[in-house]
Amino acid sequence: MNRQKIEKVLIFFGLLAIFFYATHTVLGNILWNEYNPITTDISALTAVGAPNAGLLNVFTAIYGFCSIFFVAGMLIRAFRKYNKLIKSGYLVLMFMEVVSLVGYKLFPLTSDKTVMTFQNKMHIVVTVIVVISTIVFSFLVATGYKKEETTKKFGKYLFVMAVLVTIFGLFNPIAMGMGLDVMGFTERLVVYTIQFLLFSIAIFESFTK
């Protein structure tokens, strides 16, 4: 199998990753009758003691590995044909995916997330790293794609998505500061926007050489 075919196969894992992530959030909501997606964050689905954590952790693990394969494919392609900004962006994304996969497995939320145990603090640290690195990645690749002759329009689209990710990322602390019990809703805004951004890249790159 030549290099470009390997790229194609690895990039396809990006689509699988989105599928498994969406499955874990939707299935978790369906199986847990008391779960409220407006007030309860996504991490609660796989927290220690959550009713379906074992099953859902399988989906998140598959998602994590699929994401890493996808980014590996994008790194191969970026170093073959794209500029330094895009290369740097996917390096940042790889860092984020590894931190996410390892960090959330090592430090899941405890059953009582209101108690700031070491585990819960580290979970928050991982989340902050993931959000910041995702924002950095999105602006790097958006700017990089805009500089490429053949991907200018896609770069502009990614820039809009990057702005949305940044704005939605601010909603959580703002809502908490205002005392609004909408953590699940504000988190989903930013997380689903990130997933759609990655889905867009996977689709776009699946049809380019």
Side-chain angles (χ1 to χ4, degrees):
M1 186 179 292
N2 63 36
R3 189 171 178 174
Q4 290 190 26
K5 286 184 178 179
I6 293 173
E7 284 177 17
K8 287 282 189 182
V9 171
L10 290 174
I11 290 169
F12 177 74
F13 277 96
L15 302 177
L16 292 178
I18 305 304
F19 169 78
F20 282 107
Y21 188 86
T23 299
H24 120 265
T25 60
V26 174
L27 186 62
N29 191 2
I30 293 172
L31 294 177
W32 190 353
N33 292 330
E34 294 79 17
Y35 181 82
N36 187 333
I38 301 298
T39 61
T40 311
D41 55 273
I42 296 171
S43 294
L45 292 170
T46 51
V48 176
N52 304 288
L55 172 63
L56 299 180
N57 273 320
V58 173
F59 286 100
T60 57
I62 296 173
Y63 158 74
F65 285 112
C66 286
S67 296
I68 288 174
F69 292 151
F70 162 65
V71 183
M74 286 311 309
L75 279 171
I76 295 171
R77 177 165 293 180
F79 277 87
R80 177 172 65 84
K81 64 176 288 190
Y82 287 136
N83 58 54
K84 291 181 179 179
L85 285 173
I86 297 177
K87 293 173 187 175
S88 299
Y90 286 116
L91 285 171
V92 172
L93 182 61
M94 179 61 84
F95 167 77
M96 184 278 282
E97 295 293 358
V98 172
V99 168
S100 175
L101 178 62
V102 176
Y104 286 132
K105 294 306 174 188
L106 288 177
F107 307 109
L109 285 174
T110 61
S111 54
D112 186 358
K113 62 184 178 181
T114 61
V115 179
M116 278 296 102
T117 61
F118 173 75
Q119 187 166 320
N120 285 348
K121 288 178 182 178
M122 290 305 298
H123 185 93
I124 293 172
V125 170
V126 171
T127 299
V128 171
I129 293 172
V130 167
V131 171
I132 292 175
S133 56
T134 301
I135 291 172
V136 172
F137 144 75
S138 59
F139 278 107
L140 282 173
V141 296
T143 305
Y145 278 115
K146 285 201 298 180
K147 288 181 176 294
E148 296 280 339
E149 277 300 321
T150 58
T151 60
K152 286 183 182 294
K153 290 183 179 179
F154 186 61
K156 292 177 181 178
Y157 163 77
L158 290 181
F159 189 83
V160 172
M161 295 296 292
V163 171
L164 288 176
V165 169
T166 305
I167 292 172
F168 292 156
L170 296 173
F171 282 8
N172 269 349
I174 291 173
M176 291 173 66
M178 296 175 64
L180 300 175
D181 190 16
V182 290
M183 173 66 77
F185 174 71
T186 54
E187 184 185 46
R188 278 168 171 76
L189 275 179
V190 64
V191 170
Y192 289 165
T193 303
I194 291 170
Q195 294 300 319
F196 192 76
L197 184 154
L198 294 174
F199 176 79
S200 300
I201 293 174
I203 288 290
F204 179 80
E205 292 290 350
S206 291
F207 293 96
T208 59
K209 296 181 179 180

